[in-house]
Each structure stands twice: as C-alpha cells, then as structure tokens.
Amino acid sequence: MDVNQMERRLVDYTASLFREGLLDDQFTQLQQLQDESNPDFVVEVVSVFFEDSERLLNDLGRTLDQQIVDFKKVHDHVHQLKGSSSSIGAQRVKNGCIAFRNFCEEHNIEGCLKCLQQVKQEYFLVKNKLESLFRLEQQILAAGGSIPMME
Amino acid sequence: MDRCMSTASSTPIRKVSDGVSDQFPAGLRVLVVDDDPTCLKILEKMLRNCLYEVTTCSQAEVALSMLRESRTGFDIVLSDVHMPDMNGFKLLEQIGLEMDLPVIMMSADDGKDVVMKGVTHGACDYLIKPVRIEAIKNLWQHVVRKRRNELKEFEQSGSVEDGDRLQKASDELDYSSSVNEGSWKSSKKRKDDEDEGEERDDTSALKKPRVVWSVELHQQFVAAVNQLGIDKAVPKKILELMNVPGLTRENVASHLQKYRLYLRRLSGVSQHQGGVNTPFMSPQEASFRSISSFDGLDIQAFAASGQLPPQSLASLQAGLGRTTTSTGVAMPIVDQRNIFSSEISKLRFGSVQQLSNSGKQVSLLPGLPTSMEPKQLPHPHQSVQSFGSIGLQASEGTSTFLNMPTSLRTTLSTQMHGVHGNRSSPSMMQMSQTQSRNQSLNEMVGGHASGIPSTIGQQIFSNECSGQVLDRDRTTINGRSAACNPVSQVSSVVDFSMNHMTELPGNGFPLASATEVSNLTSRGMFQEGRKMGLKGSRGFAPSYDIFNELHQPKTQDWELQNVGLNFEASQHLNSIIQSNTNHAPSIMGGQGFSSSLKNGQNINMLVYGNAVVSAGEANEHGNTENSAQRPNIHLVNTSFRVKSEEIPDLSCEKLLIPDHFGQDDLMSALLKQQQGVGPVESEYNFDGYTMDNISV
C-alpha cells in the first residue's frame, strides 16, 4: 500500500487500541512528549516497559510458586507493575493489577494466580499490538511518510 | 536500574544565589528518584520538556548521597513512595532534615492513608501516577512557595520556625575541632530512621515548615535535654520544657535524634584536647552547660564547631587551655543547621554573656553553654534566631564583639552547622583565641542567610584565624566565609589558616549579608564587619536562587558563597557589606548568611562555634528598627542573622574585640566598644550582634 494508505491504517489501528481499552490517554501523553530532540521516545519508553514488566511477571510467578508465599513481595511487584503500566497507558494491564492487588491483600493465592494469568495475557496482548504499531510507523517513515499525531 | 545521571537540560540556567535566572522556572534543578525505570524515563522526558534540569536516580540511597554532596545542587526532589532500598517517606524526611528542599512524592497508590503520610512527613505535594505533564509543569511553584515561606518566617522574626535562620556559623575560632566534625551536618548523614520516630503521623496533619533550629532554639533544646538527663529526655518533655510556641513534638523528636547522633559522634572525637577547661562543654553534655570558664574564648569552642582545623584547634586549646574542641572539627559544617551549637553557648565569653541580655543563647561570652540558658544569648536582642550553634552573634552592628581587640578575633568559626561539632567549640574558642589573630570576628557568619543550614560550612572560619585563639580577645568569630558557604563548603573554610583570617578583611565572615555585617571585619583579623566573608551564602541551596530573586535586595551581596570563598568572600564582604544596605537577612534559606546584614551593621558575630550569629538579622524582621542591635555577641549558631538594619557604617574597628578580653573583659570590652563606638554603635548597640530578638 502506499504511504497514505499506511498512514490511514495507522490512524485506524491506533484508534482501535484506544477503543478496546488497551491503551488510554496516558499513551497519548507519551506521544505528545516525543519531539525532534527525541524522535524515538515512545519506542524507547515502551521497550523499557516491556523489559521491566517481563521481569516483574517472572518474579511474580516465582514468588507465588513458593511454599510460603511472601505476599509483601507480591504486593510490591504488583504495585510496581501497576505503576509502570499506568504510566505508559496500558490500561488493561493496569486494571488487571488492581484486581491482583486486592487478592494479594486477602492473601488469596488462588486469586493471585488467576490474576497473574490475566495480567500476563493482557500484557502480551498489548505488547503485540504495540509492536505492530511501531512496525507500521517504521514502514511509513521508511516510505517517506509521517506519523500522524493522534488527537 | 540504577542509573543516576545528571542530565543537563538544554537550558541549564543555573540559578546562582545572587540572582535568579530570569528564565525561571526553566533550569529548575530537579532530582527524580524512582525505582521504576519506565516511570523514571517518562518523568525525565516530561521534566526536560518543561526545560528543567533533570537528574535521575533509581535508588534512594544514591539520591541522598547526591544531595549531600551538593546541597545546593538541586531545587526540588521528586520521589516515589515505594522503593526497594528505602521507603520514600524516610527519604523525604531525611531530605527535609538535612537539606530542607521541597519534596514531591509520587505513587500509583492513591489510598488516603498513604497520601496522608505524605502530608505528615512533610511532602510539598503528592502526585498520583501516572503523572501528567501538567503536574510537572507546575513543579516550580513548590520551590517558590517554600522559599517564600522561609523568608516570611524569617522576617517574622525569630520565630522558631524560621526557616532560614541563618545558621550562624559560628565560626568559631579555630576550633576546628570537633566542632566541625561534630558538625551536625555530618551527623545528618545518618540515615537511620529517627529513633525517636516521632511519628510524623502524630503531628497535626498540617505539617509545618521545617523548623530551623536556631542557636537559641537549640540552646533551649539542649538545656531541656540536660535538665531531663540525656537518657530521659523524651521529645514530649523536652517540648514542654522548651515551651516554644509553634514547635511540635515531632520537630523536637527529629531534632533530638539528630542531636543524639551528634553526641555520639562527638564522643568519638577527641574533643577536648587540652585539658582546657573547655568552657564549652565538652562535647555534649557537660559542655553544654558549662558556660563557666570560658576562657576568654569560649567562643573558640564554638568556633571549633566551625571547622577549625584540628591543628588550629590544638593551638587554640593550648592557648585557651581549653580543650574542648574536637579537633576534628575541621569539617565542613554540614550545613545542617546544627543547632547544637550548644557549643556556642560554650562560647562563653564571659563578658559576652552579660552583654546579651536576653538570654539569647548565643552567649558567646562566658562560654555560656547555650544550652544552658537557652535564652541566654548574650544579646538580648539578638534574635538569636536561627543561631544554631552559633555563637556568633552576628549582631549587626554589634560589632562589639568584633570590636574586640584584634587579638581576639578569634575567628569563631561560625559554623553554623558545624557548630554541632561544637563540641569542639570549646576548643574552638580556644582556637579562636589563638587565632585571635584573627580578630576577625568573623562575623562572618552574619551573612548567613538565615537558616542557612547549609551554610554552615562557614563556620569554619574563624578557626583558622590565627591560631591564636582569642583567648584574649575574643574569638573573633571567624566569619569565615565559611560560614558563608551555605553548604558544607565549610570544610574548605576551615582551612583557613588563621592566617587567613587576619588577612581577610573580613574574610571568612560568612556573613552573607555582609552587607551589614561589615562589622565583622576586623582588621586583618577581624573581619571588618563588612568583610564578612559571608559569602557563603552562596552556596546556599540553589533554591535560594529563587529566593534571591524574590528577595533580591537582600541578598545582594551575598557573596556568601560557600566557604570556599573564604577569603574572597571577605574581600567581597567588604564591599558587600558596605554596599549592602538592605539586607534583610533574606533569610536565605540556606544561605548562610542572612543578608540581613545591613550595611554597616556590624555583625558581631561572635560566632561561637557554628553559629554565625547573624547579628542584625534579627532586625530584619520587623525589628528593623532596632538599631538597638546589640552587638551582642550572640553566638548563635548558624543562624546568623544579620540584621538588616542599616548600620551606619560601623567601622570595623568597632567590631574588633578588645584584646583584653578576658571573659569578663570581653563583655565589658564589648560594652565599651559599643559605647565608644559612637553613634554608630548606638545603633547597634547590641552586645553581640543585634539579632532579632529571638523570642523563643
């Protein structure tokens, strides 16, 4: 497809992510922060987020797997994941963390494990979508187009 | 990841203490602490986009050390609440106690109790994550607000809460000893939680602005503690004994904690070097009380608090016979406001005491352990405010102290904070004596911007002053410019060898506002008031930049640049002092020297130990009229408030402390001086320095 088409596609794609609740306004904020001095800002931040989140998710899995579960640790990890996901606008991940935290406070292992699954799912989903988004952006730029600003 | 990088923003407008960048708030120096790398990166970008200068840090400990390294290097701190290595609230408290910077907390947690904790721990604001750029854009308001509050407090005179009480850097005399090392500031390094805990939650929800522990206040505190017995001293009782309106148990608790650390630290230092009767109470305890034998220069002891280099201290001691100075003092006074300038009290200048009528603590004279009589400051009016340990009474205009015969010029190192170290103050005093040469009454301290806790560094001044301790004369408060250094620069000051003192025309006077301080300069040794090297204030927290900008007039001549200035400061001081006319001791928050020194005001900084007495500061607030600044030698710690009153050019001479000071003599000498001074004196007729009466 030509550049214009790609650009339109990008716009639609992005809009759908918002519509489905995968992304929220915070993501837009990130996009607005990006400027010429830092043209890859969004990609960079999101990459950091991916790395960090995967680490947290692994830690969570390990912690919940212990004989004696250290709920404080679980709580701290969840809290951090909540913070970072909300900072980049990964809304569904954040919501999953809220539910997760509640189970954690109740010391409900089952509940926590379920939530962990849920959060993981949401995380991989948004990761996937964002990666597609970035790819699309790259293609547009490579083709000489420009990324349309959302909103 | 712990990545602490200083990212210079594209517009590194550095606000210097003497002036605020006109691009403000661009260039605001922000330190962000968050263990979440995603958030950290985002915040960094947001801050950069707002044209702030950002430094990021993912570990609280690292952040603290960065802050300590450069107390004035940042204007505001943004910190996350939940961090693995240290609780964000604890960090918040530490910063508040040590550096008194505005801190904004952040968290994804918006629970009411957490937010409340932020409030009670003194956070300026609490942001819920995800943080939006709009919130970041307005960060500067907290900086401005804080400065304004501090200034206001300062102006309100002497209120305890004075944010900026100039830490009187009691530049004690050469006692670089323990005073320095004891400097409170160093004690601040401790990270332990407050033992006292005083739960912050316990305080009213409305967290008061940080209390500046002026010399006077500190003396009261110490007196209370002594009365109760160090083991039995609990914040509540201390608070009751002190009976200071507006002071909370929490304030006392945190101060007590620091004090304890300070004591511990001091006891580790060989403080008393000689068997001198340290008038200043040897580190802690006794010394606090004993104002007794102040040999002539108990001030030295105070000076010691400043940062008298050990050797000077030793010499002082020898001279004074007092040992108390912890030689280690040479340390740069951490700018804390060490209130513990009890040492200052040590400064007993015998005579000084008398001078100070009000119990203002800083009794430079007779080694009043300030703690003893909390109010005893030699000068009645001295608004001892914020004199931390300063023995310096920088009364403006009070050159009385300064008038001490040059011999005295014991440079009291006004350590403002350093006074803590005051332990050595006794020695400091001694040192100062030896320094006497220094004559410089280093009033220096006067400059400090009130509340310059940080400036304390200045204290060191005097120490250097000729080792000759003022024993005979009075310890000239070394105004070491060290005092000026708003921040720890003190150490550098310490190095002043006494010789410097002599030379410095006023060097070392930390008096920031030397403007008025002029008194300090004693010739050569004495820093003529003006000379107050108070340039220290410069170092003061950058925050002062804003501050400065707000209170321009005051600070103008602050030159108090950190002690490092020391001599240059002194020179500047002269000019500054003279030119400074106004000076409302702008309480420069950290600026060590309250510029309040008005011109001509003699900063009688009898800075004991650390306290840079800001003579005259007191005036700033409201007292301005008081020309009555008595040149009390207020050894006020740290908060050296220079009275902003305009002091008609008091010749520095006046400040010189008569040589024949003996303790008793000192006072009388001072008094005489005052009288002799002529009209000018009358203005300042304060014993030590005119300090705003710190009504505690």
Side-chain angles (χ1 to χ4, degrees), chain A residues 25-26 29-30 32-35 37-38 41 44-45 48-49 52 79-80 82-84 86-88 101, chain B residues 1 35-39 41-42 45-46 48-49 80 82 84 107-110 129-134:
Chain A
D25 187 54
Q26 192 64 20
Q29 290 248 317
L30 290 194
Q32 287 169 351
L33 280 177
Q34 185 163 289
D35 54 19
S37 73
N38 203 337
F41 176 69
E44 285 170 11
V45 175
V48 171
F49 169 69
D52 199 45
H79 180 81
Q80 188 170 339
K82 178 185 170 208
S84 51
S86 67
S87 295
I88 66 143
R101 191 184 56 187
Chain B
M1 58 176 124
D35 63 322
D36 181 345
T38 310
C39 294
K41 195 168 166 70
I42 295 174
K45 187 73 171 90
M46 283 183 178
R48 290 259 189 76
N49 278 19
D80 187 38
H82 292 96
S107 181
D109 194 346
D110 59 352
K129 285 186 182 173
V131 179
R132 295 182 66 90
I133 191 147
E134 291 80 18

Side-chain angles (χ1 to χ4, degrees), chain B residues 282-574:
Chain B
S282 25
Q284 48 224 295
E285 66 294 1
S287 14
F288 284 108
R289 289 148 337 163
S290 43
I291 302 230
S292 51
S293 46
F294 193 52
D295 276 271
L297 295 175
D298 285 341
I299 304 200
Q300 296 165 0
F302 286 118
S305 51
Q307 317 200 339
L308 294 173
Q311 51 238 354
S312 44
L313 190 53
S315 55
L316 280 175
Q317 298 200 338
L320 298 181
R322 270 191 232 252
T323 47
T324 46
T325 36
S326 38
T327 46
V329 185
M331 19 203 302
I333 312 262
V334 181
D335 52 7
Q336 319 255 324
R337 336 196 242 176
N338 312 325
I339 318 283
F340 289 147
S341 37
S342 46
E343 278 19 53
I344 307 247
S345 48
K346 305 217 214 141
L347 287 182
R348 3 202 181 218
F349 269 118
S351 46
V352 175
Q353 262 183 346
Q354 296 155 18
L355 289 179
S356 51
N357 30 41
S358 47
K360 293 295 181 106
Q361 324 236 326
V362 188
S363 36
L364 287 179
L365 312 179
L368 303 179
T370 39
S371 52
M372 302 300 292
E373 322 164 315
K375 316 280 206 75
Q376 0 180 351
L377 290 178
H379 359 268
H381 313 304
Q382 321 271 334
S383 30
V384 182
Q385 326 166 341
S386 55
F387 282 138
S389 41
I390 311 199
L392 288 177
Q393 308 212 339
S395 39
E396 310 221 80
T398 48
S399 37
T400 47
F401 208 40
L402 298 176
N403 288 325
M404 301 236 249
T406 51
S407 51
L408 278 184
R409 322 277 190 209
T410 36
T411 41
L412 289 176
S413 37
T414 36
Q415 296 217 315
M416 310 235 235
H417 304 304
V419 182
H420 331 307
N422 291 331
R423 293 287 179 188
S424 42
S425 44
S427 42
M428 297 279 296
M429 299 297 286
Q430 318 227 330
M431 302 247 298
S432 42
Q433 300 199 345
T434 41
Q435 309 222 345
S436 53
R437 4 355 144 290
N438 303 316
Q439 322 282 341
S440 37
L441 275 185
N442 305 303
E443 326 228 74
M444 34 190 227
V445 197
H448 356 238
S450 45
I452 306 193
S454 51
T455 51
I456 310 322
Q458 308 139 4
Q459 296 75 45
I460 317 244
F461 307 116
S462 32
N463 297 324
E464 310 299 58
C465 292
S466 44
Q468 318 173 6
V469 181
L470 306 182
D471 58 344
R472 47 236 223 137
D473 306 355
R474 293 270 87 237
T475 42
T476 34
I477 307 222
N478 290 327
R480 278 223 253 189
S481 18
C484 298
N485 314 331
V487 185
S488 56
Q489 319 296 349
V490 184
S491 40
S492 51
V493 177
V494 180
D495 290 316
F496 280 177
S497 33
M498 305 293 242
N499 309 323
H500 292 288
M501 298 303 285
T502 44
E503 313 140 18
L504 293 179
N507 53 33
F509 286 119
L511 299 176
S513 44
T515 54
E516 314 298 50
V517 180
S518 48
N519 313 339
L520 298 183
T521 51
S522 41
R523 354 264 166 128
M525 314 267 256
F526 269 124
Q527 317 283 357
E528 310 257 85
R530 306 105 32 119
K531 311 279 196 70
M532 304 276 240
L534 297 176
K535 309 269 206 88
S537 45
R538 188 203 15 208
F540 286 101
S543 49
Y544 288 103
D545 295 333
I546 298 204
F547 199 86
N548 286 326
E549 81 181 351
L550 293 178
H551 307 283
Q552 269 309 324
K554 307 205 195 150
T555 49
Q556 334 167 334
D557 306 304
W558 281 112
E559 313 282 358
L560 294 181
Q561 320 288 340
N562 320 0
V563 183
L565 320 179
N566 33 96
F567 297 142
E568 52 186 86
S570 43
Q571 329 255 339
H572 294 296
L573 271 181
N574 283 322

Side-chain angles (χ1 to χ4, degrees), chain B residues 182-381:
Chain B
S183 47
W184 265 121
K185 318 254 195 106
S186 31
S187 68
K188 296 279 183 115
K189 305 261 174 96
R190 51 169 172 90
K191 292 247 219 8
D192 38 322
D193 301 10
E194 305 169 331
D195 325 340
E196 300 278 315
E198 285 317 335
E199 9 330 339
R200 296 271 175 168
D201 304 303
D202 167 343
T203 51
S204 58
L206 172 60
K207 180 96 177 161
K208 299 203 188 52
R210 304 222 178 261
V211 173
V212 171
W213 285 85
S214 65
V215 172
E216 190 175 271
L217 191 59
H218 178 65
Q219 284 177 342
Q220 278 181 278
F221 170 83
V222 179
V225 169
N226 289 331
Q227 198 172 323
L228 294 167
I230 191 72
D231 297 327
K232 297 217 177 71
V234 287
K236 189 171 165 135
K237 296 211 179 111
I238 296 173
L239 185 65
E240 282 166 12
L241 278 177
M242 285 176 74
N243 193 22
V244 171
L247 194 62
T248 66
R249 185 166 70 101
E250 206 176 272
N251 297 139
V252 174
S254 63
H255 194 67
L256 179 63
Q257 183 187 29
K258 289 198 250 174
Y259 182 60
R260 290 218 176 112
L261 285 169
Y262 168 68
L263 294 181
R264 260 185 255 143
R265 179 192 302 282
L266 286 176
S267 50
V269 179
S270 51
Q271 291 161 3
H272 301 277
Q273 312 212 351
V276 189
N277 43 169
T278 50
F280 300 158
M281 20 220 180
S282 25
Q284 48 224 295
E285 66 294 1
S287 14
F288 284 108
R289 289 148 337 163
S290 43
I291 302 230
S292 51
S293 46
F294 193 52
D295 276 271
L297 295 175
D298 285 341
I299 304 200
Q300 296 165 0
F302 286 118
S305 51
Q307 317 200 339
L308 294 173
Q311 51 238 354
S312 44
L313 190 53
S315 55
L316 280 175
Q317 298 200 338
L320 298 181
R322 270 191 232 252
T323 47
T324 46
T325 36
S326 38
T327 46
V329 185
M331 19 203 302
I333 312 262
V334 181
D335 52 7
Q336 319 255 324
R337 336 196 242 176
N338 312 325
I339 318 283
F340 289 147
S341 37
S342 46
E343 278 19 53
I344 307 247
S345 48
K346 305 217 214 141
L347 287 182
R348 3 202 181 218
F349 269 118
S351 46
V352 175
Q353 262 183 346
Q354 296 155 18
L355 289 179
S356 51
N357 30 41
S358 47
K360 293 295 181 106
Q361 324 236 326
V362 188
S363 36
L364 287 179
L365 312 179
L368 303 179
T370 39
S371 52
M372 302 300 292
E373 322 164 315
K375 316 280 206 75
Q376 0 180 351
L377 290 178
H379 359 268
H381 313 304

